[in-house]
Amino acid sequence: MTAVGAPQERAQLAPLLTEPEREAPVRRPPRVRGTLATGLLYAALAAVTVAFVYPFVWLVSASFKPRSEVFDNRLVPDTFTLDNYVQVWHEAPMALWLLNTVVVTVLATVAVTVSSAMVAWGFSYFRFRGRGPLFGLVLATMMLPGAVTMIPTYLIWDSLGQVGTLTPLWAQNLFGSAFYIFLLRQFFLGLPRELFEAARMDGANQWQVFTRIALPLTRPALVVTALFEFQAAWTDLMRPLIYLRDSSTFTIPRGLKAMLDQFGFGGEWHWEIVVTASVIATVPMIVLFFLGQRHFVEGIATTGSKG
């Protein structure tokens, strides 16, 4: 009753109001709560950013310090030196370890990206009996912990005479990955099927439809898959510990473990060598992320919109 009568009463009082009173805007209280919430959000994000960035900043700073000042917790070195970056190449075959890591990482990335894309394309495009249960079986392999298949996988590679070589570190990626298959299948399902049918009517075969139409349209997903696998292969320590014996076949993570044993706890306590080698091993991944950041963000954002 009051809500209905309020406009009528104001209309009756309108002739009695002065011109400035009729045109004056209604003042609203400031949004104090919204401003406070935004400030708290930015403060929380800043705190999380510092928590993630500080260890790497400390690591870089320690790599430019002499042995006696490594753990002084100063982000700006009191004594700045480049001797650590010269000495680390003499103490360990870093160049050979970097080369082995690049070879393993590139082969693993290419193998899992191509094989996962082919399997995902089969599950998304072709219609066949038992497709659903078979895809569910593929996803079920994600539930198996790596420790369950560690010994059988080792016995297989040992029977093939590949223990002590770089082959076990990348060759198993030729069979794809359940997570990447699921990711790429979601992208393929979001593509219009009429586009592929039109290409088939124009004379394109299945391989041409896959390589010339489907793959270019799923480039963001392929980049995300490649970045994920590149990071996983570059930082993998478990498999090099199991399969590599000779230091000439070590990758960077396995080499860092050997340097930690030699110069870290129980060793010679040359921590400046360890932190410098860690910086050298970390920088390539940071550079790669910045180079592929646009595709990475685009791929993650598009993944959430695919049906």
Side-chain angles (χ1 to χ4, degrees), residues 115-138:
S115 59
S116 298
M118 294 176 65
V119 176
W121 172 252
F123 278 120
S124 62
Y125 180 75
F126 296 102
R127 302 287 189 267
F128 55 90
R129 182 176 299 177
R131 184 183 67 163
L134 184 60
F135 182 68
L137 182 62
V138 172

Side-chain angles (χ1 to χ4, degrees), residues 53-101:
V53 173
Y54 177 80
F56 180 71
V57 175
W58 182 93
L59 189 72
V60 174
S61 175
S63 67
F64 293 106
K65 299 176 182 179
R67 179 182 180 183
S68 59
E69 301 178 6
V70 172
F71 296 103
D72 61 2
N73 290 327
R74 294 181 179 177
L75 295 183
V76 179
D78 190 21
T79 304
F80 187 87
T81 178
L82 294 174
D83 293 341
N84 298 334
Y85 285 90
V86 177
Q87 186 179 0
V88 69
W89 299 97
H90 297 286
E91 297 292 343
M94 291 292 295
L96 181 60
W97 293 349
L98 283 172
L99 178 61
N100 293 338
T101 307

Side-chain angles (χ1 to χ4, degrees), residues 15-195:
L16 302 179
L17 297 177
T18 61
E19 189 69 21
E21 290 177 343
R22 277 182 284 180
E23 296 181 355
V26 180
R27 295 184 179 180
R28 297 180 180 179
R31 298 181 179 179
V32 179
R33 294 182 180 179
T35 305
L36 180 60
T38 303
L40 292 176
L41 177 61
Y42 283 131
L45 292 176
V48 173
T49 302
V50 171
F52 276 93
V53 173
Y54 177 80
F56 180 71
V57 175
W58 182 93
L59 189 72
V60 174
S61 175
S63 67
F64 293 106
K65 299 176 182 179
R67 179 182 180 183
S68 59
E69 301 178 6
V70 172
F71 296 103
D72 61 2
N73 290 327
R74 294 181 179 177
L75 295 183
V76 179
D78 190 21
T79 304
F80 187 87
T81 178
L82 294 174
D83 293 341
N84 298 334
Y85 285 90
V86 177
Q87 186 179 0
V88 69
W89 299 97
H90 297 286
E91 297 292 343
M94 291 292 295
L96 181 60
W97 293 349
L98 283 172
L99 178 61
N100 293 338
T101 307
V102 170
V103 171
V104 169
T105 303
V106 171
L107 291 177
T109 301
V110 173
V112 80
T113 303
V114 174
S115 59
S116 298
M118 294 176 65
V119 176
W121 172 252
F123 278 120
S124 62
Y125 180 75
F126 296 102
R127 302 287 189 267
F128 55 90
R129 182 176 299 177
R131 184 183 67 163
L134 184 60
F135 182 68
L137 182 62
V138 172
L139 294 183
T141 60
M142 298 173 60
M143 305 298 177
L144 292 175
V148 174
T149 59
M150 187 180 298
I151 295 178
T153 303
Y154 178 85
L155 295 177
I156 292 174
W157 289 117
D158 185 52
S159 63
L160 296 175
Q162 297 300 315
V163 174
T165 66
L166 299 176
T167 304
L169 305 185
W170 66 268
Q172 65 184 15
N173 285 1
L174 292 171
F175 304 99
S177 169
F179 174 73
Y180 299 140
I181 291 173
F182 171 76
L183 176 68
L184 294 172
R185 176 180 175 271
Q186 295 304 108
F187 268 81
F188 288 136
L189 289 177
L191 299 177
R193 190 176 182 85
E194 294 79 8
L195 185 64

Side-chain angles (χ1 to χ4, degrees), residues 207-270:
W207 181 252
Q208 290 173 334
V209 171
F210 172 64
T211 56
R212 297 185 181 181
I213 300 178
L215 287 184
L217 292 177
T218 57
R219 184 175 61 179
L222 296 176
V223 173
V224 170
T225 301
L227 286 176
F228 278 173
E229 184 59 29
F230 196 98
Q231 186 271 340
W234 186 274
T235 59
D236 183 26
L237 176 60
M238 181 61 68
R239 284 184 293 181
L241 281 173
I242 296 174
Y243 294 105
L244 302 183
R245 301 287 185 269
D246 189 3
S247 62
S248 62
T249 60
F250 283 179
T251 57
I252 280 293
R254 181 65 181 90
L256 288 178
K257 177 62 171 60
M259 295 184 68
L260 183 62
D261 295 338
Q262 180 181 353
F263 300 108
F265 295 108
E268 303 176 7
W269 290 84
H270 287 284

